[in-house]
Amino acid sequence: MPFVMTLTVESGDRYVLEDVVTEIKEAAEQKGVELKGPHPQAPQELRVPQSADLSADGNRLDPWHYTVFTRTIEIIGHDEFARDIAEWEFPERVHIEVSVEQRRGAGR
């Protein structure tokens, strides 16, 4: 029963995100690892309210707007490669989430 590791890669910097995803993809191709993805998600537009001072009823500044870009990649089997990727040092602007799932064949 193969294990599937899903990498969710997020960043507010689309170019850094694409560089990281390309690096993972190229490393997988060099080692003959089966990948699915990267699958792009719709960008998330976020707004964060800001206070002008520390009081709860104080003046407000314009909210801070930013966009988060997301890609997901599935690594099928190849446990050693998946472990290696999880231990890589990624840029601070990139957030990586790793989940592992064991998949069973049909009829079991």
Side-chain angles (χ1 to χ4, degrees):
M1 290 175 256
F3 284 90
V4 177
M5 183 173 93
T6 302
L7 295 173
T8 303
V9 187
E10 297 179 325
S11 180
D13 186 335
R14 182 185 339 203
Y15 302 107
V16 171
L17 175 75
E18 293 301 333
D19 288 345
V20 167
V21 168
T22 300
E23 189 176 344
I24 292 169
K25 213 171 146 181
E26 288 173 352
E29 287 172 1
Q30 288 176 356
K31 296 199 177 207
V33 172
E34 182 182 354
L35 282 184
K36 289 188 179 178
H39 305 290
Q41 309 297 318
Q44 244 184 327
E45 299 290 331
L46 302 173
R47 300 174 76 188
V48 179
Q50 301 183 87
S51 295
D53 53 40
L54 297 177
S55 69
D57 299 327
N59 296 329
R60 294 278 181 184
L61 300 172
D62 289 335
W64 175 43
H65 295 266
Y66 65 101
T67 305
V68 176
F69 302 94
T70 305
R71 305 287 182 271
T72 56
I73 301 170
E74 292 180 338
I75 300 171
I76 299 157
H78 300 283
D79 300 342
E80 185 178 327
F81 178 76
R83 264 189 243 101
D84 289 346
I85 295 295
E87 293 175 357
W88 282 8
E89 293 290 326
F90 294 101
E92 288 184 16
R93 296 177 292 187
V94 175
H95 174 77
I96 304 285
E97 184 178 307
V98 179
S99 64
V100 179
E101 175 186 350
Q102 185 175 12
R103 295 204 179 153
R104 298 175 187 242
R108 291 188 178 174

